Amino acid sequence: MDVELYDKITEAVTAVRQRSKNEPMVGVVLGSGLGAFADRVDNCVKIPYRDIPHFPESGVAGHAGELLIGDIDGVPVAVMAGRVHYYEGYHMQQVTFGVRVLAGLGAKKLLITNAAGAVNPTFAPGDFMVIVDHLNLTGDNPLRGGNDQKLGPRFPDMSTAYGADCRRALHEASRKVGVTLREGVYAGLAGPSYETPAEIRMLQIIGADAVGMSTVAEVIAANHSGMQVAGLSVMTNRAAGLSDQPLSHEEVKEVGERVRGVLCDLLAATVACLA
Ligand code: HPA
């Protein structure tokens, strides 16, 4: 770990606090194309990532790249609309910087979302899955290197990485909104190529229900920071080899757009249930 990381986080937190005094209770990390969630944030102050020192900006289209500070149903939140990915070439420390800032701003809970391929053959595109656990298959770890005790312990426990209370909050919110939720294990890979059918068969054998290219690093950093995590995956496609069609980013985006409204409802309701 970069020894100056704590100072960088402090500088970023200070810059955000100059724009908004709101102390978030819940931090939210949105997957691609969810900029519309901003409409759900009351008294919303939008801070472009470029205005926050050390905050990495994404080159991926559809990632707005701004921090939204405000309230949802009276609950103070900080929302990352846009995130950077390991496959873009960022280091794990950059990938997790935003989550560190959310923790630094005071958020005790993290609600994190992603688009994922359905590895479990009973899941279908458009399904939502509560993440109950993950497999970090990226081959890297954001905590590799020296540890700064000010940020967290050297060897953080990951046995309840996605806490029971947070999972309950997602289920409670799903009942309010009227959507069905699956539960399962998320396998996080480095990407950016999609998996081969053989890799998907391997993931099934080792216990994955969904596969994606984000989230695991952020969740490790969140646990290191002492945050409780609620994780939600949107199945945008059947994983490689499980359908007769080739995988395409277009399909992933299309399904993402189709469920966007319901997902925004579910996330807003979850914030209320997490408080
Ligand atoms: N594999 C990896 N990442 C993904 C997928 C997939 O099938 N779908 C959406 N993100």
Side-chain angles (χ1 to χ4, degrees), residues 23 25-26 38 43 45 58 66 79 104 110-111 120 124 131 153-156 182 237-238 266-267:
E23 180 164 326
M25 185 180 290
V26 180
N43 313 310
V45 175
S58 174
E66 51 190 14
V79 180
L110 180 72
L111 172 57
N120 184 322
I131 305 176
R154 168 76 290 188
F155 301 110
R182 314 287 197 150
N237 55 281
R238 289 186 208 281
L266 180 59
L267 294 176

Side-chain angles (χ1 to χ4, degrees), residues 115-118 194-195 211-213 236-240 247 252:
Y194 287 117
E195 303 70 36
V211 60
M213 306 173 192
T236 50
N237 55 281
R238 289 186 208 281
L247 289 195
V252 169

Side-chain angles (χ1 to χ4, degrees), residues 30-53:
L30 300 175
S32 329
L34 277 178
F37 188 69
D39 298 345
R40 314 290 169 119
V41 183
D42 301 323
N43 313 310
C44 187
V45 175
K46 295 183 181 180
I47 310 171
Y49 291 162
R50 78 181 99 83
D51 292 353
I52 308 172

